[in-house]
Amino acid sequence: MNKDFAFILGNGITRLEIDCAGLLDYGTVYGCNRIYEEFAPNVLVSTDAGMAQEIQQSGYSASNIHYTRSHHKIRNSGAHVLPKDIHGYSSGPAALALAAQSEANYLFLIGMDLKGVNNKINNIYAGTQHYKPKNADPMYFGNWVDQLNRIIQQTQNKRFMQVNPLNNFTDDSLRKNSNFETMSLDEFKRMINKL
């Protein structure tokens, strides 16, 4: 595993195009919420009360690294509390902020699609417990973008790459950061195959 690489997994549909469990061989993997049912990333983050409590009650937090907000932590569950400076972030940005505080210098944002699909919510877990229904309206992504920009701007010595943006969409404000870029799925797979 390369400590220089961190893979931060959102739950947008583009994440399905990558073998995310396989990334454990190449760097530190940060995941969010229900991904814990698929595989154990190196670090799991859940900031919503329902998901945070479900994960802790499952026993996952006792044997894996799981971060949540202090008021969602169940006593003796094994869960860790998010640092105060990222306590108010959503799960994806909180995972990115943790990765930005790690040794990794190259941070790959995967499945952080931001936009909806066909004017519907874009989340592979939509329709499951603690998530909106599959036919719900797309989520407002402005807060996520603000949080991502804050992290990127506060960590100028690291590189941030949005992998396989959904329909090539990247918020214009993200593109203004000199340490941020996008990477196609083919470019990402070529890079991984060389490691």
Side-chain angles (χ1 to χ4, degrees), residues 7-8 29 40 43 59 63 76 96 99 103 114 120 126 140 142 172 175 181-182 193-195:
F7 305 99
I8 301 87
V29 177
V43 179
S63 55
N76 299 322
L96 180 63
E103 297 177 51
L114 302 177
K120 301 293 179 197
Y140 170 70
D172 288 341
R175 291 183 187 277
E181 61 190 276
T182 60
N193 288 335
K194 288 180 182 176
L195 298 178

Side-chain angles (χ1 to χ4, degrees), residues 115-170:
K115 288 179 68 167
V117 177
N118 297 324
N119 212 27
K120 301 293 179 197
I121 191 170
N122 175 7
N123 192 301
I124 61 175
Y125 302 119
T128 66
Q129 189 175 12
H130 309 301
Y131 282 87
K132 293 188 176 204
K134 291 183 178 183
N135 63 351
D137 289 338
M139 298 287 291
Y140 170 70
F141 60 84
N143 292 335
W144 296 334
V145 170
D146 290 345
Q147 292 167 14
L148 295 176
N149 270 317
R150 195 171 309 133
I151 296 160
I152 293 166
Q153 289 161 11
Q154 290 172 349
T155 323
Q156 290 292 318
N157 61 330
K158 302 199 178 200
R159 301 292 305 164
F160 296 82
M161 278 81 56
Q162 182 183 14
V163 177
N164 192 24
L166 177 68
N167 300 325
N168 293 316
F169 172 76
T170 300

Side-chain angles (χ1 to χ4, degrees), residues 1-9 18-32 35-44 60 64-65 108 110 188 191-192 195:
M1 179 177 76
N2 187 338
K3 290 187 177 181
D4 217 20
F5 286 178
F7 305 99
I8 301 87
L9 310 179
I18 294 172
D19 171 19
C20 292
L23 295 175
L24 292 165
D25 293 335
Y26 301 103
T28 306
V29 177
Y30 295 76
C32 302
I35 197 171
Y36 85 99
E37 292 182 327
E38 297 178 36
F39 74 98
N42 298 107
V43 179
L44 179 70
Y60 180 93
N64 297 280
I65 298 174
F108 299 88
I110 298 169
F188 180 74
M191 181 202 75
I192 290 295
L195 298 178

